[in-house]
Every structure is written in C-alpha cells, then in structure tokens.
Amino acid sequence: MDIEADFVAYQKRINCLLSHCLSNPSPLSKPLYDAMHYAVLNGGKRLRPLFVYTLGVTLGISLQDLDHAACSIELIHAYSLIHDDLPSMDNDDWRRGRPSCHKQFGEAIALLAGDALQTLAFDTLLKVPLDAIKIVKMLTVLSKAAGPWGMVGGQAMDFSHSDCSDKSSAENIYSLKTGALFVAALQLPAIVADLPMESLLTLKNVGNSLGLAYQIQDDVSDNESMHFWKDAVRRESHLKGLKDHILADLGFILSPFDVKQESIIKLVNHFFNREETVIIDE
C-alpha cells in the first residue's frame, strides 16, 4: 500500500471534481465564473478533503460517497480565503504566490465570488447520493462549521479584538476560525459511516486540535506567534501534546472496526510536519 500515492491521487481527484462543480452549469456571469475558478483552482494542498477521503476510506466508505463532502468543505475554505484577503479583513494582496482574488478581479466580484462559492458548497452537499436523514445531518454539520457557531464566529471574535491575552481565549478563537472546518472534514465521513454521537463528539475535539495546531504553525511561519507560543521548546512540546491526543482519539474511534490505521496516522504526521511533506502543492 503506497499511502503517499493515495494522498496525491485524492488531491488530483478533488481538483477534477472542483473544476466540474464550477462548470456544471457555469455561472451566468463570466467575470464571476472566472473569479470563482481562479480562487478555487489556484493551488493548495487540499488538507481538508484529504482528511475526508483518508478517514472515510479507512472506515470502508467508497470515494464516490465521499466526493460531495470533500468538495463542499473545500468550496467553503476557498470562499473564506477570498473574504479573508479583502481590504476590510486581512488586506492581503497575494495568495499562494499570485494576486489575491480582489486584486485580480476587483473587490465587488471577489466578494460575490466568495458568496457564490459558499452557496455552491451547500448545493453540492445536497446532491450526495445518500438517504435524506444523513444529508440533513451533514448539512447541519457544515452549517455549524462555516457559520456564526464556527469559522465565521471565530473570525468575528478575532476581528473584534476579543481578549486574546490569555492562552485559553486565543486557543478558543483558533479552534473556531480554523478548527471548525477540520471538525466538519472528520464528522462528515463519520456520518456516512454511521458512527455514534460519542465518536462525532470525539472527532470534534480532534478537529479543534488540528485547527489549533495549524494556526500555531501558521503564525510561526508568518512570524506572528502569540507571546505564549514564542518559546520554541514550549511550543513544540504543546504541538507534540496535541498530536498525541489526536492520534489517541482517532485510535480509540477506529479500534472497534479492526481497520488499518496507517493512512490516517501518516496524514496526521504530515500535518504536523508540513515543511517535510511530499504532498503536492499545485
């Protein structure tokens, strides 16, 4: 079993599916379509879809039954990046080495492209070939992750300068604005696999920890670390603790299924060693 080849195959698969989602049918406005296409297919490691596919396949789910969840997660992520880069938010002119969407297409079209991608994400998930009860559960998970109880709520707390002076408050904001979509990326395949509520709650903890770890590493690479993470030894110890808890929780969830866990373990290790990963970044 070539796990890394599977990761690359999942990335290529999601890129093809995203291109299909954007074009069938294409938006009525060509500038809008161009901006959506530019934002979604402008590279990226597709980490969230990788977790959808890797956990789902580990649980015995077919790729076809995971495609809609993987696409919807990535479409929400892409919309959030467009809005993050806007002058009223982070005011970033560059994204993945290319002009950000609003620099390329103007603020109005970029804003509308983000709105359209968010709507397309829910439309995509609605079409998952599963029974209605599961679809409703999946839509609930995605809406909570993307909305005021998740990603957007965390962003609002961050932009309103909510108290980040203590470690607990900062971790809460990071778990919401970054962790919420990782929670959805784990819970959606879990719903397809009929995992119990106890497992969904454990996966929420895993997703929040992934988001916190991602944000800590991201802040370090941008030289924006909070004072309580500036000490490299303490930071690395904290990250190791997060990884150990994540692997333990995933092992606990998967242990009753008598499945091989190498793929999900390797993906988590890649996640915590992103500078060493061989996962493609197109």
Side-chain angles (χ1 to χ4, degrees):
M1 179 174 62
D2 191 338
I3 295 172
E4 290 175 354
D6 288 341
F7 292 161
V8 173
Y10 296 158
Q11 288 172 308
K12 291 180 177 179
R13 182 182 185 89
I14 192 64
N15 284 335
C16 289
L17 290 167
L18 288 168
S19 180
H20 179 79
C21 282
L22 292 168
S23 303
N24 291 274
S26 296
L28 296 176
S29 164
K30 187 175 187 306
L32 180 64
Y33 169 78
D34 290 343
M36 293 167 67
H37 190 278
Y38 181 88
V40 173
L41 297 173
N42 187 22
K45 291 184 174 67
R46 312 300 188 198
L47 281 172
R48 293 151 193 83
L50 279 174
F51 274 101
V52 172
Y53 284 129
T54 304
L55 179 60
V57 169
T58 299
L59 290 169
I61 305 168
S62 70
L63 293 176
Q64 290 77 13
D65 284 345
L66 296 167
D67 286 336
H68 294 75
C71 283
S72 66
I73 290 280
E74 194 64 13
L75 290 169
I76 292 287
H77 178 56
Y79 119 71
S80 75
L81 296 183
I82 295 176
H83 284 192
D84 277 350
D85 290 340
L86 290 170
S88 58
M89 300 268 288
D90 288 343
N91 194 25
D92 282 331
D93 291 346
W94 298 91
R95 171 68 60 182
R96 296 169 180 154
R98 299 173 66 186
S100 53
C101 193
H102 72 273
K103 296 302 290 186
Q104 189 75 11
F105 297 95
E107 290 182 39
I109 289 296
L111 181 66
L112 293 170
D115 293 342
L117 290 174
Q118 182 189 42
T119 308
L120 181 59
F122 287 97
D123 180 68
T124 299
L125 193 55
L126 270 169
K127 296 172 181 174
V128 63
L130 300 171
D131 65 74
I133 293 176
K134 284 186 178 179
I135 293 174
V136 170
K137 289 180 179 178
M138 294 170 79
L139 288 168
T140 300
V141 164
L142 188 62
S143 63
K144 285 184 177 179
W149 312 278
M151 181 186 72
V152 172
Q155 290 171 321
M157 292 165 68
D158 197 14
F159 277 101
S160 63
H161 305 291
S162 295
D163 183 16
C164 287
S165 59
D166 67 279
K167 184 166 170 281
S168 177
S169 296
E171 289 186 350
N172 182 49
I173 291 174
Y174 283 176
S175 293
L176 288 170
K177 75 174 192 176
T178 306
L181 284 188
F182 283 111
V183 172
L186 296 168
Q187 288 187 337
L188 292 180
I191 290 171
V192 179
D194 291 314
L195 293 194
M197 180 56 66
E198 179 186 4
S199 295
L200 293 179
L201 293 175
T202 301
L203 289 173
K204 180 178 181 180
N205 293 332
V206 172
N208 285 336
S209 295
L210 287 170
L212 176 57
Y214 186 97
Q215 196 69 55
I216 292 173
Q217 294 178 91
D218 207 45
D219 285 354
V220 169
S221 67
D222 293 339
N223 199 27
E224 296 177 355
S225 294
M226 297 283 187
H227 64 87
F228 31 80
W229 290 315
K230 283 190 179 294
D231 182 88
V233 174
R234 293 177 62 187
R235 183 177 65 247
E236 291 307 312
S237 175
H238 187 54
L239 287 169
K240 183 181 184 304
L242 288 171
K243 184 171 81 168
D244 290 346
H245 279 297
I246 287 168
L247 291 174
D249 282 343
L250 289 171
F252 175 76
I253 289 170
L254 294 172
S255 58
F257 293 90
D258 191 28
V259 295
K260 293 183 177 180
Q261 301 179 25
E262 288 91 340
S263 293
I264 195 70
I265 292 171
K266 188 144 196 167
L267 181 57
V268 171
N269 284 328
H270 274 312
F271 182 91
F272 278 86
N273 298 282
R274 282 184 281 159
E275 72 280 359
E276 299 174 7
T277 182
V278 299
I279 297 176
I280 59 173
D281 188 5
E282 296 178 335

